[in-house]
Every structure is written in C-alpha cells, then in structure tokens.
Amino acid sequence: GKFMEEVLPPDLAASGRQLIDRALRTQTVQTDQYQIEGEGDGSFYDLRMAPVGADEVVSVIRDVTSHRRAEALLAARARQQAVAAQFGQEALAGRDLPSLLQRACEVLVDTLDATHAKVLRLMPDGENLRLEAGIGWSSGLVGHAAVDAGPESQAGFTLLSDSPVVVQNLREEARFRGPQLL
C-alpha cells in the first residue's frame, strides 16, 4: 500500500521503476535481484512485479540476505571439503613429507583466500620452531628460519593452547606478538 520510493533506497527504487514500466509495457511478471551496499557485505533483495491493470502493478520485495549468505557459506564449505578430499588423495599417493607440507600450505592459501601459510616444526631443544614449509614468506626463510616456541610468540601460544587460536587482527593482538618472520 505504499509507493516504492517510500520503502526502498533511491538506487533500488530507480531500478524498480524501470521494472514497473517494463511490466506495464509487456504485461508480464518482472523479477530481479539487487544488492544494496552498507554495513558488512550489504543486503540482497528479490523484487517481483506483476501487472494488475493498464497502469498498476503489484510488487513483492523480499529481503533474501540471509538466504544469499547461507548459500555462500554452503558453497564455501563444499569447496573446502572437495579440497580436503583432493589433498587427502595426494597424501595417500605417497608424496615425500616436505612436498606434502608445502602442498598443504598451497591448499590453505587457495582455500581460505589467505596471503600466508606456514608449517612449523618443534625443534629438539623444545624452545624453537623451524619454518618447514610456507607460502608468502621471503625467499630463503623456508627450511631455515626459526621462531620462539614460548607463550609470547603466536606459534608458541598456539602450541601450548588446549583449543584453536583465532586471530582477527594481528596488529591488535594482546595475547602474544606476531612472528618476526612477517
């Protein structure tokens, strides 16, 4: 019972006006989806219009944001599972350990859309971790560089934790300091 301009943001209302004109001109149901930028990833709307006379349309506007986000999450999970299965097959094919570790880093970077990945090995002294494989690190570091295994380093803190350690923003992290390798 309201005009489209009263309900929708201006950019969507303008597009909706074009759909109205097309629905009236062709006397067919028109449908389209829109994304409105804003907080986070934006919102998604499904807009459907059907002519009900020479100069009127009925329109239904649905917020499909949660559906779109669920679809994206499902697609990402399916992709991750496919990559994990592929990696498992590669591991079973008998690759040598250094190649397998390097491949694991490649898979992580691709799957998680990250810039860096690393595998660290605890050294016999128990005080250092050596960079065994990695992606995104400076040339010459893989196989040679070491980081402290104590709780003040990210790697050491993670090794000593009973649960996964998630870092949202390394620059703002207070539990430990980021690796010198960066």
Side-chain angles (χ1 to χ4, degrees):
K2 294 184 178 184
F3 288 102
M4 192 175 301
E5 293 79 7
E6 295 177 62
V7 179
L8 299 175
D11 56 337
L12 185 56
S15 299
R17 177 62 55 197
Q18 292 172 355
L19 283 176
I20 290 172
D21 293 341
R22 192 167 57 200
L24 289 171
R25 190 175 60 251
T26 63
Q27 287 295 303
T28 59
V29 174
Q30 302 297 316
T31 184
D32 211 342
Q33 290 203 351
Y34 297 93
Q35 180 179 11
I36 299 174
E37 297 295 329
E39 295 276 328
D41 295 330
S43 299
F44 294 91
Y45 296 91
D46 182 51
L47 177 58
R48 296 173 192 262
M49 296 184 181
V52 291
D55 60 353
E56 292 181 323
V57 296
V58 171
S59 59
V60 176
I61 303 165
R62 286 187 312 143
D63 184 340
V64 293
T65 304
S66 61
H67 180 73
R68 279 284 194 97
R69 289 185 179 149
E71 283 179 338
L73 183 59
L74 184 61
R77 294 287 187 256
R79 181 172 172 252
Q80 290 169 359
Q81 288 180 349
V83 168
Q86 173 71 32
F87 180 71
Q89 289 178 335
E90 290 178 29
L92 291 172
R95 282 188 169 204
D96 62 292
L97 186 58
S99 296
L100 188 61
L101 296 177
Q102 187 62 29
R103 180 68 181 132
C105 290
E106 293 167 3
V107 166
L108 282 171
V109 164
D110 289 343
T111 304
L112 301 178
D113 196 27
T115 59
H116 291 74
K118 67 182 178 225
V119 174
L120 298 170
R121 178 188 302 248
L122 184 61
M123 300 308 296
D125 66 8
E127 295 183 17
N128 293 293
L129 297 149
R130 185 172 63 214
L131 181 61
E132 292 290 314
I135 298 289
W137 307 101
S138 298
S139 178
L141 290 180
V142 174
H144 303 288
V147 296
D148 182 48
E152 64 281 348
S153 73
Q154 178 183 4
F157 183 89
T158 303
L159 187 63
L160 297 169
S161 295
D162 292 334
S163 60
V165 176
V166 177
V167 179
Q168 296 296 329
N169 185 336
L170 190 57
R171 294 180 199 275
E172 297 174 5
E173 182 59 56
R175 299 171 291 180
F176 47 78
R177 53 185 162 68
Q180 293 289 333
L181 299 174
L182 289 174

